[in-house]
Amino acid sequence: MIFQCAGLEFDTNSFSLTREGEAVSLTPKVFDLLVFLMQHRDRLVTREELFNELWSGRVVSDNVLSNEIKLARAVLGDNGEQQKYIRTLRGRGYQFVGEVRETQAAPSPAGAASNEAAPADSPPTPALHKWRPYLALGTLVAAVAAAFLWLAEEPTSSQPTTPTADVRPNGPEPGELRPNTIAILPFVNHSQVEEDAFFVDGFHDDLITQVTKISGLAAISRTSMMAYRGSNKSMPTIGRELGAALIIEGGVQRAADSIRINVQMIDAATDEHIWAETYTRELNAENVFAIQSEITLAVATTLRAVLSQEEQQDIAEAPTQSTAALDAFFRGRVSAALTTTKGFGEAVEHYREAVRLDPEFAEAHAQLGLALLEQRTYSSLPLKENLVLAEVAVRKALSLDPALSEAYEALALLERDKGNRDAAQSAYERALELNPGNADAARMYAFFQSNWLRRHESALALLANVKAVDPQNPITLSIAGWVKVELERFDEALEEFNAAIASAPGYAETYRVAGDLYFLKLYRHDEAIKAYRRFYALDPDTAFNFLNLATAYDDLGVPDEAVRFFELFLAASPTGAEADVARIRIHLIRGEDEPLQALLEEMGERYSGQLRWVDVMLCGFDLAAGDPERAIERVETHYPEFLLGGSDVGSIPDRYHLALVYAAALHLAGRGDQAAPLTAKILEALPATSRHRWSGIQTLDTWLHMAMGNEERALESVREWRAIGGRLDLSKHRMVPESLLAMPEGQAINHEILADLAEQRAHLARMEAAGEIAPLP
């Protein structure tokens, strides 16, 4: 059976939910709840019926059911005040009052997957991990993609993505206190010894993780809670801001061989203490985890949540008996939470120490795997061995604890980096099945859906669920912002980034992802530089930010600063294709033709046939040098499919780019008949092709139009690019043929661009003089 409502389609045969054909993620419990209510929409459904239907008569608290109702409303774009779809009759039950269309579903083919995989040959986007993950969106490939028109672009679906109605609750309604949501304030370090700070923060972080294991309950994440460290706000104010009905505060004191932890639970609505306890124990790992378990059980009791036997066992079990290993583990957590390159490197060392001290510490192995994968991507060093080491750590964690959500979270990243997309998706789903409260895994899965599967609306729906229980987390907001960048909803994306910065001004990644939007999509090089410099101030050890800054300064027309940052990048990351591109940019700035040509030859020998984006770039240089035969040779040697007219030329950007330069080269070489089939495919796909940088073609098609003698269409391409805000010196970047720039209108357009860039340079100077920009290294 298929139920259609609020633009959504619920298929009970495949247990899938879609919006305009695109999968929407939600938990099985919420799916079953919505279907049951729609099936019985002719009457009021009592709470007792729902308990029996969804939990098979198992006794759970009213708060658990209320939470599922809230999540169901969020999927529909409803809330408890409007009740457009689900009406509440207090004390009795619920009735589905929205308009529903019901049809028979076609039988699902045997073995069909509920989520269709993206094209098998679609290359991955830059590797993005856990926290920084989502946000290393201007990573090396992104920055390099901006370096030349012909460089690598981000993969897109074979079908153009059309934005649909956006599910974007930004958290609870103002003042709404959700009875199933808990805010655990940062614990106070009562020993006042700086060395103990890591232990206090580690205990706090781990306690949040424990509480999320209670079904139906939600704990605000550590990242959101850090904004309240030392806050003078009242408990009711904090509760309203976070939508949390229950607040926990406490402190930790370590002295010699003992530990004292005091905890208070507070009703956010009344500011009254519900429960308080002081634990004084001998300092050892077993006692630390025992205290955590007792606090977690007290939370469950207070909220009348019924724990399954598995949950009770999981909460009660101490993951390590080694106090020293626990210390190292807590240090690793605190270092990783810095979300900086240096922090990830330190986290790796701490987790290594933890597993050395206790080889059976499963979660330490899982976190080591995550940290190694993060370090591998963000150090800008060729740390291929990190992938091998990460796999060892992840497999060990799974062997020690096959039910550890964090281990599957790490496995998903590992499989993704190995190119095993289906395995990565399965691991994400398993991580969330084991612990639906694992917000990190949910955020990572949302980013995976958007950037690997191109299911942007599904990603937004998943992020909306995370926002609903964690409204001020800058990671969630920043990821949501980038998904909206993908959908070319740039104003909304900036709103998300600004909200992330407001909630956590010290979170570095938001500045870089905002810089990527300004630089890659809006061509606001001045604002991009401001954002990248702020990122540098917060995370000076991330080498690829030098590449971001270098390309932004170069595109703005500030060559001295561009060269300086290219050289800083090369000092930190001297090998690889990205390093060679940095050297090319330096040669171009300095007008060094001979070393430039030598380097292009070396790159051809080193990368042709292996890195398609390099071949696109090299073919572009061939066209600019008036050597179309060389471009033809490159393509036909390494990409014989184009000899047959090309295949799916519009499905992947750099394949489309290669098709464009190849077809242009054929026309310039007088082989128009051979180019005709491929040209027809290119022109057919052109109207639906984005002109934005990274995911589009900018002005690359002008080479084909001019080669075919269609000057007016070439000029129209430049006008279209200008209409979306394009601002790059067309002559400097070889973005159009010289013959187009020789035309009066071509000259006029470039003069206009140069004037825009001059104003951006002046604006940058004004911000610099006013002290609005972070200092340079």
Side-chain angles (χ1 to χ4, degrees):
M1 186 66 68
I2 291 178
F3 296 93
Q4 295 174 322
C5 178
L8 297 163
E9 188 170 281
F10 299 78
D11 189 333
T12 59
N13 277 12
S14 61
F15 300 101
S16 62
L17 173 62
T18 58
R19 176 184 281 109
E20 296 190 2
E22 186 170 343
V24 176
S25 177
L26 79 170
T27 65
K29 195 77 72 181
V30 174
F31 182 92
D32 293 344
L33 169 63
L34 284 167
V35 168
F36 188 76
L37 289 175
M38 285 188 286
Q39 287 174 329
H40 301 279
R41 59 189 180 276
D42 59 326
R43 63 179 179 83
L44 180 76
V45 176
T46 67
R47 297 175 70 87
E48 288 73 20
E49 285 182 87
L50 291 174
F51 284 128
N52 288 330
E53 175 68 21
L54 300 177
W55 287 277
S56 301
R58 173 187 164 198
V59 178
V60 296
S61 73
D62 289 346
N63 292 328
V64 173
L65 176 57
S66 297
N67 180 58
E68 300 299 333
I69 291 290
K70 289 178 188 294
L71 293 175
R73 283 183 169 135
V75 170
L76 297 168
D78 198 1
N79 61 46
E81 294 182 2
Q82 294 177 320
Q83 298 192 12
K84 293 188 300 182
Y85 297 99
I86 301 175
R87 189 185 67 185
T88 302
L89 185 61
R90 294 195 178 278
R92 298 288 303 280
Y94 306 93
Q95 184 171 6
F96 200 94
V97 294
E99 184 178 346
V100 178
R101 202 173 148 204
E102 191 172 332
T103 59
Q104 289 292 330
S108 299
S114 60
N115 291 320
E116 181 183 356
D121 56 355
S122 177
T125 51
L128 304 170
H129 301 300
K130 202 172 180 179
W131 294 280
R132 293 168 69 80
Y134 329 104
L135 307 180
L137 299 170
T139 66
L140 295 177
V141 175
V144 173
F148 296 95
L149 173 64
W150 306 297
L151 294 193
E153 304 288 356
E154 181 190 29
T156 58
S157 168
S158 58
Q159 298 296 325
T161 302
T162 303
T164 58
D166 182 14
V167 181
R168 66 186 299 266
N170 286 313
E173 294 295 318
E176 179 188 0
L177 299 180
R178 292 161 297 168
N180 64 310
T181 303
I182 305 150
I184 304 178
L185 294 174
F187 277 38
V188 176
N189 179 13
H190 286 312
S191 65
Q192 298 181 346
V193 176
E194 187 62 30
E195 178 65 14
D196 286 346
F198 80 89
F199 185 91
V200 176
D201 286 347
F203 180 88
H204 171 254
D205 193 17
D206 217 47
L207 178 60
I208 292 175
T209 300
Q210 287 286 80
V211 172
T212 64
K213 296 176 181 178
I214 304 175
S215 298
L217 303 186
I220 305 297
S221 78
R222 177 189 189 278
T223 308
S224 286
M225 295 312 307
M226 285 300 103
Y228 294 92
R229 187 190 291 278
S231 173
N232 292 322
K233 292 181 178 180
S234 68
M235 295 299 166
T237 298
I238 294 173
R240 286 193 299 271
E241 289 180 355
L242 296 171
L246 182 67
I247 296 176
I248 296 176
E249 65 174 355
V252 179
Q253 183 173 6
R254 296 206 308 177
D257 296 329
S258 66
I259 184 170
R260 174 176 293 178
I261 298 176
N262 63 286
V263 185
Q264 302 86 38
M265 290 188 193
I266 300 164
D267 185 331
T270 64
D271 202 10
E272 295 180 352
H273 282 66
I274 301 172
W275 170 83
E277 185 64 76
T278 298
Y279 304 90
T280 303
R281 307 276 175 85
E282 179 185 351
L283 179 56
N284 58 52
E286 183 177 1
N287 282 338
V288 170
F289 288 115
I291 293 171
Q292 284 185 354
S293 298
E294 291 177 34
I295 296 172
T296 303
L297 291 172
V299 170
T301 301
T302 301
L303 295 180
R304 295 187 296 170
V306 177
L307 299 175
S308 69
Q309 185 176 355
E310 292 80 6
E311 288 171 337
Q312 293 180 42
Q313 181 177 349
D314 191 17
I315 291 170
E317 187 173 350
T320 181
Q321 300 295 323
S322 168
T323 304
L326 179 62
D327 270 14
F329 179 75
F330 281 171
R331 288 181 188 274
R333 281 212 177 223
V334 172
S335 293
L338 296 174
T339 64
T340 62
T341 298
K342 181 180 179 181
F344 292 134
E346 292 175 349
V348 166
E349 296 308 313
H350 291 314
Y351 290 137
R352 278 178 172 155
E353 177 67 4
V355 299
R356 184 190 68 80
L357 292 165
D358 182 0
E360 306 300 303
F361 194 170
E363 190 169 353
H365 284 286
Q367 295 298 336
L368 174 59
L370 283 166
L372 283 164
L373 291 168
E374 291 154 359
Q375 185 190 43
R376 173 176 175 264
T377 298
Y378 297 102
S379 64
S380 296
L381 296 174
L383 299 176
K384 293 182 179 180
E385 63 271 20
N386 274 32
L387 190 64
V388 176
L389 295 172
E391 179 150 20
V392 172
V394 173
R395 300 296 177 191
K396 180 65 173 178
L398 288 168
S399 69
L400 291 169
D401 188 351
L404 182 61
S405 175
E406 289 78 3
Y408 283 95
E409 180 185 333
L411 178 63
L413 286 178
L414 175 69
E415 296 292 358
R416 188 189 70 181
D417 281 3
K418 291 168 61 179
N420 302 329
R421 187 175 310 180
D422 291 342
Q425 183 173 1
S426 297
Y428 281 126
E429 292 172 352
R430 181 59 174 155
L432 291 171
E433 179 185 353
L434 289 167
N435 182 4
N438 187 340
D440 286 331
R443 280 185 281 265
M444 292 162 62
Y445 189 26
F447 191 80
F448 176 81
Q449 287 187 347
S450 176
N451 281 264
W452 283 66
L453 305 182
R454 318 307 298 155
R455 295 173 185 153
H456 306 306
E457 293 295 341
S458 178
L460 287 178
L462 185 55
L463 290 170
N465 289 338
V466 178
K467 283 183 183 180
V469 296
D470 198 4
Q472 297 186 27
N473 192 302
I475 306 169
T476 308
L477 296 169
S478 296
I479 300 169
W482 191 256
V483 175
K484 289 172 183 177
V485 170
E486 300 276 22
L487 292 168
E488 297 187 3
R489 288 151 55 176
F490 301 139
D491 289 343
E492 292 180 31
L494 282 174
E495 288 179 8
E496 299 279 9
F497 296 150
N498 288 334
I501 289 170
S503 68
Y507 181 62
E509 291 296 328
T510 305
Y511 297 96
R512 187 156 62 86
V513 75
D516 291 343
L517 170 57
Y518 281 120
F519 182 54
L520 295 171
K521 302 296 185 180
L522 303 180
Y523 298 90
R524 286 301 309 272
H525 316 294
D526 51 346
E527 293 292 347
I529 288 169
K530 179 181 179 181
Y532 289 147
R533 283 173 56 169
R534 181 59 182 157
F535 174 81
Y536 172 81
L538 294 168
D539 187 1
D541 300 297
T542 300
F544 56 72
N545 192 47
F546 293 144
L547 188 56
N548 290 340
L549 280 164
T551 50
Y553 272 112
D554 195 12
D555 288 356
L556 185 57
V558 187
D560 290 344
E561 287 295 345
V563 168
R564 186 162 76 90
F565 279 107
F566 280 129
E567 290 177 341
L568 285 170
F569 171 70
L570 288 170
S573 184
T575 60
E578 294 82 8
D580 287 336
V581 168
R583 294 183 180 97
I584 287 176
R585 295 282 293 237
I586 292 174
H587 292 323
L588 287 170
I589 291 171
R590 292 173 172 168
E592 300 168 341
D593 290 338
E594 290 188 12
L596 171 63
Q597 292 304 317
L599 181 55
L600 291 174
E601 290 296 327
E602 290 176 15
M603 291 188 72
E605 295 174 2
R606 194 177 299 137
Y607 305 116
S608 283
Q610 300 180 45
L611 296 177
R612 186 163 46 205
W613 64 266
V614 171
D615 287 309
V616 173
M617 180 190 73
L618 295 175
C619 287
F621 273 104
D622 293 336
L623 294 184
D627 190 359
E629 292 289 355
R630 182 67 184 280
I632 293 169
E633 180 186 359
R634 290 186 197 277
V635 176
E636 294 183 349
T637 299
H638 299 290
Y639 307 96
E641 67 267 23
F642 284 110
L643 292 170
L644 303 176
S647 59
D648 299 327
V649 297
S651 63
I652 302 173
D654 61 355
R655 178 183 294 168
Y656 190 75
H657 296 165
L658 197 61
L660 275 170
V661 293
Y662 178 51
L666 288 171
H667 283 286
L668 288 170
R671 296 157 64 176
D673 290 344
Q674 181 183 344
L678 181 58
T679 302
K681 289 187 176 184
I682 292 170
L683 296 179
E684 181 183 1
L686 187 60
T689 303
S690 170
R691 289 201 179 276
H692 283 285
R693 191 154 45 172
W694 192 7
S695 58
I697 61 168
Q698 299 191 96
T699 61
L700 183 57
D701 58 320
T702 59
W703 292 84
L704 178 59
H705 297 313
M706 293 296 286
M708 297 173 65
N710 195 340
E711 295 177 352
E712 178 55 34
R713 185 63 189 91
L715 285 169
E716 180 60 26
S717 296
V718 180
R719 295 187 202 109
E720 291 173 0
W721 174 70
R722 283 288 287 157
I724 65 166
R727 298 181 190 89
L728 288 171
D729 185 343
L730 296 175
S731 61
K732 174 181 173 182
H733 289 278
R734 296 168 169 80
M735 293 185 64
V736 299
E738 289 185 4
S739 55
L740 188 149
L741 283 176
M743 300 165 58
E745 185 173 351
Q747 292 178 5
I749 290 173
N750 208 43
H751 284 316
E752 183 182 284
I753 291 171
L754 294 177
D756 285 352
L757 294 176
E759 172 52 35
Q760 285 194 25
R761 288 194 295 272
H763 180 234
L764 184 66
R766 290 193 295 271
M767 290 191 292
E768 191 97 59
E772 298 174 4
I773 303 183
L776 287 168

